[in-house]
Amino acid sequence: MSLIKTIDNLRSEIKNKSNGKTINIGFVPTMGYLHEGHLSLIKRAKKENDLVVVSVFVNPTQFGANEDLDNYPRDIETDYKLAIDSGADIVFNPEVEEMYRDGNSTYVIVEGEITKKLCGASRSTHFRGVTTVVAKLLNIVKPTNAYFGQKDAQQVAVIEKIVRDLDFDVNIIPCELIRENDGLALSSRNVYLSEEERDQALILSKSLFKAKELFLSGERNSKNLKGFIISKIKTKNLADIDYVEIVHPKTLESIDNIEEKALIALAVRFGKTRLIDNIYLEV
């Protein structure tokens, strides 16, 4: 059980632990400040693989101007203990200078609507940072299986695309969104919320659950479902809606009438905290 800081040491540790054998390696990339959502990924990886690697790296290239890079919560000592207790064999915690060495100018860019919609519409450089760091980590760890939470549904779709397009030899395993007991989607950023903001933020999951009820009762028109969700969120005076969209879960193309599986995704700010949430609809 190791905390590794450099790429060379990580590769050596993986080689040593595999002991010359072909083994299944599970990988869980995170930005740290681990919560039960992260731990559920690690526990699943432990069940399905011989060796589990967890990365804890706050990736600067996926943060835009005036976002929360400097204030993003960090606690590597607690993260390390939680990761190991949940089944990690190796925790990789590199410095920025290790992941982006002097003169770094190579990025992985996914073209098309899949990165320009939803979170990509208001965060123009975000997915360039996500795809680049994930590609680097997959190349470094060379996992058999990599685990991602469905709370970041757009991120999962984009990562699945780069794996297909660039022929990475890895299985991407999407895992269910984990919520707190009151329905709020687990997020490291939840700690930013004031008591009032957190209370009002519960409208996100409530509106999604209610929209799903309407869908199951026969409502198939996306405009009507979106309008319902928006009206519910606007009852909270602290809510500032970034987007509410209904899209195809893989391509993220907009859907007018829902005839197959669809994704309702939203992003809303409460104060300075931007929260995302989603739910799947299946005919």
Side-chain angles (χ1 to χ4, degrees), residues 20-278:
K21 300 178 181 178
T22 299
I23 62 172
N24 287 336
I25 299 173
F27 177 48
V28 181
T30 82
M31 292 209 301
Y33 216 69
L34 302 184
H35 51 64
E36 284 299 326
H38 298 114
L39 303 185
S40 70
L41 304 181
I42 299 169
K43 290 172 183 177
R44 179 168 175 182
K46 185 66 174 179
K47 290 180 181 179
E48 298 177 354
N49 299 275
D50 304 302
L51 180 72
V52 176
V53 179
V54 175
S55 64
V56 175
F57 178 62
V58 181
N59 176 38
T61 65
Q62 68 189 71
F63 287 78
N66 303 315
E67 292 189 341
D68 57 345
L69 173 60
D70 292 338
N71 295 321
Y72 194 86
R74 297 165 170 85
D75 186 352
I76 187 57
E77 291 183 2
T78 300
D79 286 346
Y80 176 76
K81 184 178 186 306
L82 288 172
I84 294 299
D85 288 347
S86 297
D89 299 290
I90 299 171
V91 179
F92 179 47
N93 177 229
E95 299 296 331
V96 173
E97 295 76 16
E98 180 70 11
M99 290 297 291
Y100 297 103
R101 293 162 180 160
D102 287 344
N104 183 90
S105 61
T106 301
Y107 296 90
V108 176
I109 298 172
V110 176
E111 301 283 1
E113 290 297 304
I114 195 169
T115 55
K116 293 178 181 178
K117 301 183 71 167
L118 306 185
C119 290
S122 60
R123 306 177 73 195
S124 59
T125 62
H126 172 69
F127 283 108
R128 184 185 77 161
V130 170
T131 51
T132 298
V133 77
V134 170
K136 288 172 68 70
L137 288 167
L138 292 178
N139 186 47
I140 293 164
V141 178
K142 292 182 170 54
T144 313
N145 303 300
Y147 297 80
F148 295 85
Q150 283 283 19
K151 182 177 75 69
D152 298 301
Q154 183 175 18
Q155 175 177 277
V156 172
V158 171
I159 290 168
E160 287 177 331
K161 183 167 178 56
I162 67 167
V163 165
R164 287 194 306 270
D165 290 355
L166 299 181
D167 298 306
F168 278 96
D169 187 17
V170 60
N171 301 311
I172 301 300
I173 312 294
C175 301
E176 68 174 315
L177 186 157
I178 304 298
R179 299 183 181 277
E180 300 195 33
N181 291 335
D182 57 11
L184 186 68
L186 280 169
S187 169
S188 299
R189 289 185 168 94
N190 288 350
V191 298
Y192 297 156
L193 296 168
S194 69
E195 184 176 348
E196 184 179 11
E197 288 168 347
R198 194 192 182 289
D199 183 63
Q200 290 200 17
L202 296 179
I203 194 62
L204 303 185
S205 59
K206 289 178 180 178
S207 64
L208 288 171
F209 295 151
K210 186 60 179 178
K212 185 171 184 177
E213 289 180 16
L214 293 175
F215 169 78
L216 293 174
S217 296
E219 179 61 74
R220 296 290 185 268
N221 185 278
S222 292
K223 184 178 179 180
N224 292 341
L225 291 170
K226 286 167 56 177
F228 171 81
I229 294 169
I230 290 169
S231 69
K232 288 293 185 183
I233 294 173
K234 283 186 174 180
T235 63
K236 303 301 180 181
N237 67 302
L238 299 180
D240 179 15
I241 298 173
D242 184 348
Y243 66 80
V244 176
E245 297 290 346
I246 300 180
V247 298
H248 187 283
K250 296 295 184 183
T251 66
L252 303 188
E253 293 177 356
S254 296
I255 296 173
D256 294 326
N257 291 295
I258 304 168
E259 298 177 353
E260 56 184 349
K261 187 173 182 178
L263 170 73
I264 308 179
L266 56 78
V268 180
R269 287 183 175 82
F270 291 88
K272 295 182 179 180
T273 307
R274 183 177 183 275
L275 302 179
I276 60 174
D277 202 344
N278 65 73

